[in-house]
Amino acid sequence: MPTALITGVTGQDGCYLAPRLRQQGYRVVGLTRQAPEAAAASMGDAAEGIEFARADVRDAAALVALLRRVAPHEIYHLASQSGVRASWDDPVHTAEVTALGALGVLEAVRAEAPTARLLMASSSEIFGRPPQSPQSETTPVAPVTPYGASKAFAYHLTCSYRDVHGLHASSAILFNHESPRRGIDFVTRKITAGVARIAAGIDRELPLGNLEARRDWGFAGDYADAMWRMLQQASPSDFVIGTGETHSVREFCEAAFGAAGLDYRQHVVEDERFLRPADARTLVADARRAHAKLGWQTTVTFDALVRMMVEADLRRVEGGEVL
Ligand code: GDR
């Protein structure tokens, strides 16, 4: 039975990746900062069959000891401070967790598990405000945010550890990916939770930042599939993962409010508190390499994704959950 170690297992992507690996017969060890009971509770059904290990990714010695004990065949490094807006509020913390945490994982793998396969969860934010659209594996890395710069640091060192130390290490350059498990601070979930509250009469308005920002939004379950496929390749390499379709925040609002029979223009208000010091304007993936080499395809359209998220939040509010 192969063993997979997933860092940041309680996050959205871990909740899709862990059950997928379990279904395929992996032993899955999930790294979390939380107590195992709290981690399992936050993951719900997705926690089934996972062995939890507790450590902070900034603790290099703990990572080394963990790899020695677990002896993983595959490592998925998903742990991160993943809020772009939040990275402006605390850039040093972001760099410690997202940049130095990734370096600690690379070092631990080099020292204790040099034959394991490593997947670094990277981000389209490494491209900043790219001169070309769509973005592919050859687009220049030029981040404009503390989060993007931290992910770029991890990306460059993953290339370097692969070339210099011969690790089977690959970066998945993931564009925005969403689901009903998305954190409430990200714009898609903020919108669908807002729709559910407004539909239930709990709220009337939804304050948002830049409505014209465009993103390539896919379904998180498909991105977990891409990560697994990447580690099944004989040789390591980096892949851009995204749908190739772009929509504005405004279009997301229109679709999400529309799915609940509402008109977003009557509820969405622009609020400068949610504007960012710098924001990537249009990010859209050219994932042709992933299609060709990994046989990877998306399975959920933009409209289906929006409906899935709105319906899940409507059900939560109906069930008495406070969003
Ligand atoms: P992003 O995701 O920064 O792209 O990073 P987010 O959903 O936070 O923002 C997307 C776009 O929406 C605009 N926006 C708002 N965003 C938030 N959060 N709240 C608002 O009220 C709001 N109004 C408008 C933003 O300005 C932005 O343009 C995500 C994260 O998951 C990263 O970890 C990941 O690496 C990238 O996607 C790919």
Side-chain angles (χ1 to χ4, degrees):
M1 192 201 284
T3 297
L5 173 68
I6 304 176
T7 72
V9 70
T10 58
Q12 169 187 257
D13 295 359
C15 289
Y16 285 97
L17 182 60
R20 187 195 198 292
L21 296 177
R22 287 289 300 147
Q23 260 168 22
Q24 285 174 261
Y26 283 73
R27 167 188 174 221
V28 175
V29 179
L31 185 67
T32 169
R33 277 174 306 166
Q34 303 175 44
E37 309 75 47
S42 77
M43 291 178 75
D45 295 347
E48 208 160 297
I50 299 179
E51 289 171 41
F52 289 102
R54 192 174 187 181
D56 190 305
V57 287
R58 292 169 295 181
D59 184 344
L63 289 177
V64 169
L66 179 72
L67 289 190
R68 190 174 304 153
R69 178 171 71 75
V70 171
H73 301 90
E74 296 178 8
I75 300 158
Y76 297 85
H77 180 49
L78 311 184
S80 162
Q81 188 301 96
S82 60
V84 177
R85 162 77 241 190
S87 81
W88 288 108
D89 299 334
D90 200 343
V92 173
H93 172 75
T94 301
E96 283 170 359
V97 175
T98 304
L100 294 182
L103 178 55
V105 168
L106 284 163
E107 266 297 284
V109 172
R110 183 186 64 77
E112 282 300 329
T115 59
R117 297 183 174 191
L118 171 65
L119 187 294
M120 275 286 170
S122 187
S123 163
S124 49
E125 279 289 311
I126 67 172
F127 298 132
R129 294 175 167 161
Q132 71 201 56
S133 221
Q135 295 84 46
S136 73
E137 293 81 4
T138 58
T139 301
V141 173
V144 294
T145 64
Y147 170 79
S150 299
K151 283 291 186 186
F153 174 92
Y155 166 81
H156 287 305
L157 283 172
T158 301
C159 294
S160 156
Y161 272 60
R162 176 168 72 214
D163 297 342
V164 175
H165 297 303
L167 297 188
H168 191 297
S170 308
S171 290
I173 304 169
L174 305 167
F175 282 60
N176 299 53
H177 45 288
E178 320 294 314
S179 76
R181 288 188 178 269
R182 188 60 147 145
I184 209 100
D185 288 335
F186 298 96
V187 76
T188 55
R189 184 76 205 295
K190 181 175 171 183
I191 294 168
T192 62
V195 165
R197 285 198 311 270
I198 289 167
I202 299 166
D203 260 351
R204 289 185 56 80
E205 284 190 342
L206 177 64
L208 291 173
N210 179 9
L211 296 182
E212 309 316 326
R214 299 187 74 85
R215 288 290 185 276
D216 177 337
W217 280 297
F219 170 56
D222 288 336
Y223 294 60
D225 174 51
M227 293 181 205
W228 175 79
R229 286 173 188 262
M230 281 179 61
L231 289 200
Q232 309 319 304
Q233 302 297 297
S235 357
S237 74
D238 308 323
F239 285 92
V240 155
I241 305 294
T243 72
E245 229 185 81
T246 169
H247 293 273
S248 65
V249 172
R250 185 183 296 283
E251 287 163 9
F252 196 102
C253 288
E254 193 173 4
F257 280 84
L262 297 167
D263 181 347
Y264 83 96
R265 288 169 299 187
Q266 292 172 4
H267 302 285
V268 170
V269 290
E270 292 188 54
D271 184 332
E272 63 183 24
R273 280 179 306 150
F274 299 106
L275 293 174
R276 297 178 180 185
D279 197 13
R281 286 193 196 95
T282 300
L283 290 172
V284 57
D286 172 355
R288 280 177 298 177
R289 192 159 172 276
H291 300 155
K293 294 209 167 202
L294 305 176
W296 178 76
Q297 294 293 343
T298 53
T299 63
V300 179
T301 64
F302 175 75
D303 284 334
L305 174 64
V306 175
R307 270 199 312 279
M308 179 201 299
M309 293 178 68
V310 170
E311 282 165 14
D313 278 333
L314 289 171
R315 276 196 303 276
R316 284 174 169 136
V317 169
E318 272 164 27
E321 207 176 304
V322 180
L323 299 182

